[in-house]
Amino acid sequence: MEDKKEFVVALAGNANVGKSVIFNQLTGGNQIIGNWPGKTVEKAEGFIEQEGVRIRVVDLPGIYSLSTYSEEEIVSREFIAKEKPDLVINVVDAVNLERNLFFTLQLIELEVPLVIALNQYDILERKGLSINGKKLSELLGVPVIKTVAVHNKGLTELFEIVRNALLKGEKKVSHLRYGKEVESRIKELSEIISKKVKTYYPPRFVAIKLLENDPLIKKEIKDEEILKKADKFRKELKEIHGEEAETVIISERYAIASRIAESVIERKSTLKESMGDWFDKIALDKVWGYVFFILVTIGIFYAVFKFGSFFSDLLSNWLESFKPIFMRMPLTPFWNKILWDGIMEGVIAGIGIVLPYIAPFYLILAFLEDSGYLARIAFLTDNVMHKLGLHGKAFMPLIEGFGCNVPAVLGTRIMERDRDRFIAAILATLVPCSARTVIILGLVATFLGPVYALIIYVLDFILILITGRILNKFMKGTPSGLIMEMPRYRKPVMKIILKQTWIRLKDFVYFAFPIIIVANVVMEIFSIFNWIKPVANFLKPVMTDFLGLPPLAGITFLFGILRKELTLVMLSTLYHTTNFAKVLTPRQIFIFGFVTMIYIPCVATIAALKREFGWKRATAVTVGEFVGAIVLGGILNQILKLFMP
Amino acid sequence: MIRNNVTLLDIKAGEKAEIVSLAGGYGFMRRLQEMGLIPGQIVEVVRNSAMGPVEISVMGTHLAIGRGIAAKVIVRPVRRQIYGR
Ligand SMILES: Nc1nc2c(ncn2[C@@H]2O[C@H](COP(=O)(O)OP(=O)(O)OP(=O)(O)O)[C@@H](O)[C@H]2O)c(=O)[nH]1
Ligand SMILES: [Mg+2]
């Protein structure tokens, strides 16, 4: 019997090819899926257990090459090269065979056991093409399985082949040859390497990477003689080909990839303009693109607002109708208060105020993510982003921020440089997440009207722009530019959209809901023992004198640090009503909405900031936003006094 | 060095160009090459307006390239064949 019971299998491949869909299908995992490159930014693990075999499956960020460029790609390379998985499933976009094979060839050079999943095969067929899998497998010396991950096709077969390969454990190494000049130098160099140094990597791989002038590999191989020799070879290659050695090698590797791709793709049909190209004429137009974008955004918020307020009323009224039943229960007033005002009002707030807004919001977000439109927004906003010292790709995590700021902060890893990442992360914390949307829609839009909600959003966006400009001024460095593969539009798959929505909602139901209820009970206890007054009085100078809010609002802000929804939930608990127009003036509603929007990142976001950037910077952001919100809120209050009672 | 001032920015939408060289830092140059912008490769410019990045079609996929970077991609315009109409 094998002594080793657990196997490690990694999913690797270009960005946006379907690795995470396959991961989720194989392991039942909950990886984020969407139609733009760079969603998975750190490795995720899942397990498959079957007939005594335990397989640890690792989902990796997408990478284009084993040379590295941005942070999430280093994660992938390090994992494949250093942790040596027992097998790598190379997920390949069948529609884009040539470019994907460029990476496959490097995996082959790395001499890891490989199985290829030829994914998105449905789209290839829709284009009237097919791939000769058997021939591809022979040419590469690697098993090839055609898959349609979103419809769970071919995955059972894929798993069988992976399993068999693992159990057999045989390693056969195939090499693809470069041109004569390059090949002879690789050989000579790798012979010296195998004699002189020990590395994680196979000697041939090291030799190739040295000829490509890879900085990380050079750092690892400290041997003078080898580095000198590599340099000499690089010079020779440059003389022969008239290009830098790395260009020569990349070109030859692409030549191999395209030769293989050409020989296996069958039935080439003429490429006609697809629906997507046609749609891009509007979506990416220098005028209509922005018009369309604005219409889409407003449309989404309006739809969420309409849907949300309808169900919010319905559900709140229904739940309120249980009050008499609770009141009739034979309990002491204390327990009655805890039960109804503490627990039940928490439940009502969660179900009645929060859920009706976030559920449709998440659904639409998932739909947008899967459609491919998000990458178009990145394209449109590239120029604006440059003014903030970023580039278009930063827009992707920012949009993620509308759902929740935490993945947005993590998602900034797709930015190539630390400075860009930090700026993007700060801006991400200012993006109105779903919790804040609940407050803006449930409070401002409901009691003042949608236009006022829109004004708050616009103010927030202006604030993001200004913050970006200021940060760009103070944090040195020229921004790097945008290089992004534009994903194809896709008809979103219902099952995947519903699952994405559920993953996010689950977080709310299992995590936020209990917090809301506990916070409510705590608040009720405070109120029973008359502890609220002293705290409120303590906060009064800032809250009332400066911001013009009722003193009690300060307490809701304290709870809001846990989760932003809590500000509104607590407001309803403190006043025992969800009709906020009765207890707040229009100006107070507006200021309340504005301040909650920006006053602090919630604890989860602060934790994410700390994890990504360290305590110092996380604290700086938190304090900065807190002070900024109070100051801006105060100024806004003074201005609004002129217009609003 | 060949002196050639035509860059991706100069190619109009709908026209094709051949990549000549990339004039920039190691990191970004590598990235572009790995995405298929190798010398000799023909690319088609799909979109190019002063408002946004340049979009090109290379090896069957579309790439968006920021204007700053596109300015460092040296190309040679490929004339469209006029005969045969
Ligand atoms: N039509 C079709 N769509 C697919 C298939 N597999 C994945 N997709 C879609 O492709 C997109 C990308 O899938 P992901 O699994 O998130 O891709 P990934 O490789 O993990 O991407 P990164 O994490 O960004 O590197 C999603 O919109 C999926 O719905 C497939 O076989 N057919
Ligand atoms: Mg992924």
Side-chain angles (χ1 to χ4, degrees):
Chain A
M1 274 249 75
E2 281 271 350
D3 54 330
K4 187 176 168 190
K5 273 231 174 104
E6 185 180 289
F7 295 102
V8 181
V9 170
L11 285 156
N14 285 185
N16 208 31
V17 294
K19 298 178 295 297
S20 297
V21 179
I22 294 187
F23 175 85
N24 286 357
Q25 301 274 24
L26 287 180
T27 65
N30 285 334
Q31 283 287 83
I32 293 190
I33 289 163
N35 188 9
W36 77 90
K39 298 154 300 262
T40 307
V41 290
E42 50 185 354
K43 56 178 200 248
E45 291 185 353
F47 293 91
I48 312 175
E49 253 183 297
Q50 217 184 52
E51 294 157 34
V53 190
R54 188 172 151 88
I55 302 176
R56 179 154 70 100
V57 185
V58 182
D59 184 23
L60 294 172
I63 65 181
Y64 289 96
S65 138
L66 287 173
S67 330
T68 37
Y69 195 60
S70 62
E71 191 163 325
E72 90 272 10
E73 295 178 316
I74 297 175
V75 174
S76 291
R77 158 152 146 184
E78 296 275 285
F79 187 85
I80 299 171
K82 298 204 166 152
E83 298 195 19
K84 294 241 182 280
D86 298 291
L87 187 139
V88 171
I89 300 177
N90 175 207
V91 184
V92 163
D93 178 0
V95 190
N96 229 323
L97 194 58
E98 187 175 352
R99 165 158 315 140
N100 279 256
L101 284 180
F102 180 81
F103 177 65
T104 307
L105 293 176
Q106 295 179 66
L107 285 175
I108 292 176
E109 278 161 9
L110 202 52
E111 295 171 18
V112 284
L114 210 60
V115 170
I116 290 181
L118 204 53
N119 195 36
Q120 309 203 14
Y121 203 78
D122 53 330
I123 299 181
L124 184 87
E125 283 182 328
R126 223 174 298 146
K127 287 196 162 192
L129 305 175
S130 72
I131 290 175
N132 186 334
K134 199 161 156 258
K135 193 161 168 197
L136 181 60
S137 167
E138 276 160 13
L139 286 172
L140 294 171
V142 171
V144 173
I145 296 99
K146 297 172 182 172
T147 59
V148 183
V150 281
H151 295 131
N152 210 355
K153 275 191 202 144
L155 296 184
T156 325
E157 200 186 341
L158 174 70
F159 179 71
E160 273 313 304
I161 292 195
V162 166
R163 206 181 105 100
N164 287 342
L166 286 173
L167 290 176
K168 264 195 235 138
E170 63 179 26
K171 272 195 188 171
K172 55 173 185 206
V173 178
S174 59
H175 283 151
L176 288 127
R177 314 228 151 261
Y178 288 85
K180 213 170 63 223
E181 288 93 8
V182 178
E183 190 62 43
S184 65
R185 285 174 179 81
I186 294 176
K187 276 234 176 74
E188 200 179 327
L189 203 55
S190 58
E191 263 158 37
I192 308 176
I193 292 167
S194 62
K195 267 186 226 131
K196 286 197 73 176
V197 286
K198 269 202 95 57
T199 64
Y200 301 102
Y201 311 101
R204 185 181 158 88
F205 179 82
V206 175
I208 295 170
K209 285 292 165 228
L210 283 179
L211 290 180
E212 285 183 60
N213 207 16
D214 184 297
L216 284 177
I217 294 275
K218 266 163 75 180
K219 229 183 278 165
E220 221 158 284
I221 307 293
K222 291 182 195 80
D223 190 289
E224 276 298 316
E225 188 199 334
I226 295 173
L227 291 179
K228 266 207 191 108
K229 191 112 196 164
D231 258 356
K232 179 173 152 262
F233 284 164
R234 285 172 46 77
K235 282 207 190 85
E236 289 171 5
L237 285 174
K238 190 174 174 183
E239 246 155 58
I240 300 170
H241 291 271
E243 305 275 3
E244 294 293 341
E246 60 264 29
T247 309
V248 174
I249 291 181
I250 291 174
S251 301
E252 289 197 4
R253 196 181 289 135
Y254 254 121
I256 301 173
S258 79
R259 208 172 53 231
I260 295 176
E262 254 160 49
S263 71
V264 298
I265 297 180
E266 291 165 352
R267 271 197 294 134
K268 282 218 167 177
S269 67
T270 46
L271 286 168
K272 49 179 190 297
E273 191 174 271
S274 65
M275 274 288 276
D277 292 340
W278 178 84
F279 186 66
D280 268 348
K281 290 210 169 111
I282 300 170
L284 296 181
D285 188 82
K286 52 182 181 267
V287 179
W288 294 114
Y290 297 94
V291 174
F292 183 74
F293 171 43
I294 291 170
L295 287 181
V296 167
T297 318
I298 293 179
I300 288 173
F301 281 97
Y302 198 70
V304 172
F305 169 61
K306 278 285 160 200
F307 183 94
S309 52
F310 178 76
F311 279 98
S312 175
D313 281 354
L314 207 72
L315 288 169
S316 309
N317 288 340
W318 180 64
L319 289 167
E320 286 285 350
S321 69
F322 288 99
K323 190 167 181 181
I325 302 175
F326 276 81
M327 289 305 154
R328 257 180 269 128
M329 283 187 196
L331 293 170
T332 62
F334 175 81
W335 284 109
N336 223 321
K337 262 187 135 28
I338 294 283
L339 194 63
W340 180 260
D341 294 342
I343 296 177
M344 270 313 284
E345 290 212 328
V347 173
I348 294 175
I351 297 180
I353 309 180
V354 184
L355 208 57
Y357 293 103
I358 59 168
F361 187 74
Y362 286 159
L363 194 70
I364 295 178
L365 195 65
F367 185 85
L368 269 186
E369 284 171 344
D370 216 30
S371 68
Y373 183 60
L374 288 194
R376 270 69 191 180
I377 305 179
F379 185 96
L380 286 178
T381 51
D382 187 52
N383 268 15
V384 179
M385 285 291 158
H386 272 284
K387 302 222 161 71
L388 312 186
L390 300 171
H391 59 72
K393 253 206 280 192
F395 212 79
M396 243 85 78
L398 291 191
I399 292 228
E400 278 295 273
F402 279 93
C404 173
N405 287 176
V406 174
V409 169
L410 302 185
T412 58
R413 290 195 191 169
I414 60 171
M415 304 307 289
E416 292 80 4
R417 298 176 324 168
D418 185 59
R419 163 194 178 275
D420 299 2
R421 281 195 59 206
F422 188 47
I423 295 182
I426 294 176
L427 300 186
T429 63
L430 290 172
V431 171
C433 63
S434 57
R436 285 174 256 187
T437 298
V438 167
I439 294 158
I440 303 302
L441 295 185
L443 180 68
V444 182
T446 307
F447 296 101
L448 293 184
V451 175
Y452 288 88
L454 200 66
I455 294 174
I456 292 199
Y457 280 116
V458 171
L459 285 178
D460 188 41
F461 296 147
I462 293 174
L463 181 70
I464 291 177
L465 287 178
I466 295 174
T467 312
R469 291 220 66 150
I470 294 174
L471 290 173
N472 188 27
K473 265 249 170 65
F474 285 99
M475 293 170 71
K476 284 169 286 291
T478 43
S480 57
L482 173 76
I483 304 175
M484 177 182 70
E485 194 172 339
M486 298 288 274
R488 291 180 291 273
Y489 285 108
R490 248 185 274 262
K491 199 173 85 206
V493 180
M494 213 51 210
K495 222 176 75 190
I496 290 200
I497 292 189
L498 290 178
K499 185 164 176 205
Q500 288 282 97
T501 310
W502 172 238
I503 290 173
R504 290 200 171 107
L505 268 185
K506 207 166 68 180
D507 214 52
F508 174 74
V509 175
Y510 292 161
F511 186 68
F513 218 82
I515 294 184
I516 291 180
I517 292 171
V518 170
N520 234 345
V521 173
V522 170
M523 177 81 104
E524 208 40 54
I525 292 173
F526 267 63
S527 116
I528 291 170
F529 291 104
N530 279 325
W531 290 339
I532 290 187
K533 267 265 160 58
V535 182
N537 281 340
F538 176 73
L539 297 170
K540 192 165 166 273
V542 175
M543 278 297 137
T544 311
D545 304 341
F546 191 56
L547 292 176
L549 294 172
L552 288 181
I555 293 178
T556 70
F557 285 171
L558 290 181
F559 280 100
I561 299 172
L562 290 178
R563 310 241 343 160
K564 287 261 171 122
E565 305 96 327
L566 279 175
T567 55
L568 191 60
V569 171
M570 288 300 129
L571 205 61
S572 82
T573 319
L574 281 170
Y575 288 112
H576 297 291
T577 177
T578 50
N579 183 359
F580 298 109
K582 273 199 228 151
V583 291
L584 296 175
T585 67
R587 174 155 51 92
Q588 287 176 330
I589 290 180
F590 195 85
I591 298 285
F592 188 88
F594 178 79
V595 175
T596 15
M597 186 84 127
I598 54 178
Y599 80 101
I600 208 168
C602 66
V603 268
T605 310
I606 297 174
L609 282 171
K610 187 237 143 192
R611 209 186 114 194
E612 297 293 299
F613 303 103
W615 265 124
K616 262 199 202 137
R617 293 206 263 179
T619 315
V621 176
T622 310
V623 173
E625 285 179 11
F626 183 74
V627 173
I630 301 293
V631 171
L632 290 176
I635 295 172
L636 196 64
N637 183 35
Q638 296 306 320
I639 298 174
L640 285 181
K641 267 187 189 158
L642 306 173
F643 311 97
M644 284 170 139
Chain B
M1 267 254 133
I2 323 158
R3 273 198 57 80
N4 183 339
N5 294 325
V6 184
T7 70
L8 258 189
L9 287 183
D10 304 313
I11 309 296
K12 288 202 198 72
E15 290 180 357
K16 290 188 175 163
E18 180 188 334
I19 305 291
V20 175
S21 64
L22 305 172
Y26 181 83
F28 109 86
M29 216 168 81
R30 276 303 289 271
R31 168 48 67 93
L32 282 180
Q33 289 184 341
E34 286 160 1
M35 301 278 246
L37 274 75
I38 38 186
Q41 177 72 38
I42 308 275
V43 302
E44 186 185 336
V45 172
V46 181
R47 228 169 293 279
N48 182 0
S49 85
M51 296 284 288
V54 180
E55 183 184 349
I56 61 169
S57 162
V58 52
M59 293 184 188
T61 41
H62 287 204
L63 290 185
I65 301 176
R67 300 195 79 72
I69 289 186
K72 292 177 187 154
V73 179
I74 316 287
V75 298
R76 182 182 302 124
V78 176
R79 305 251 168 271
R80 245 179 291 185
Q81 311 238 316
I82 308 164
Y83 54 82
R85 274 223 157 179

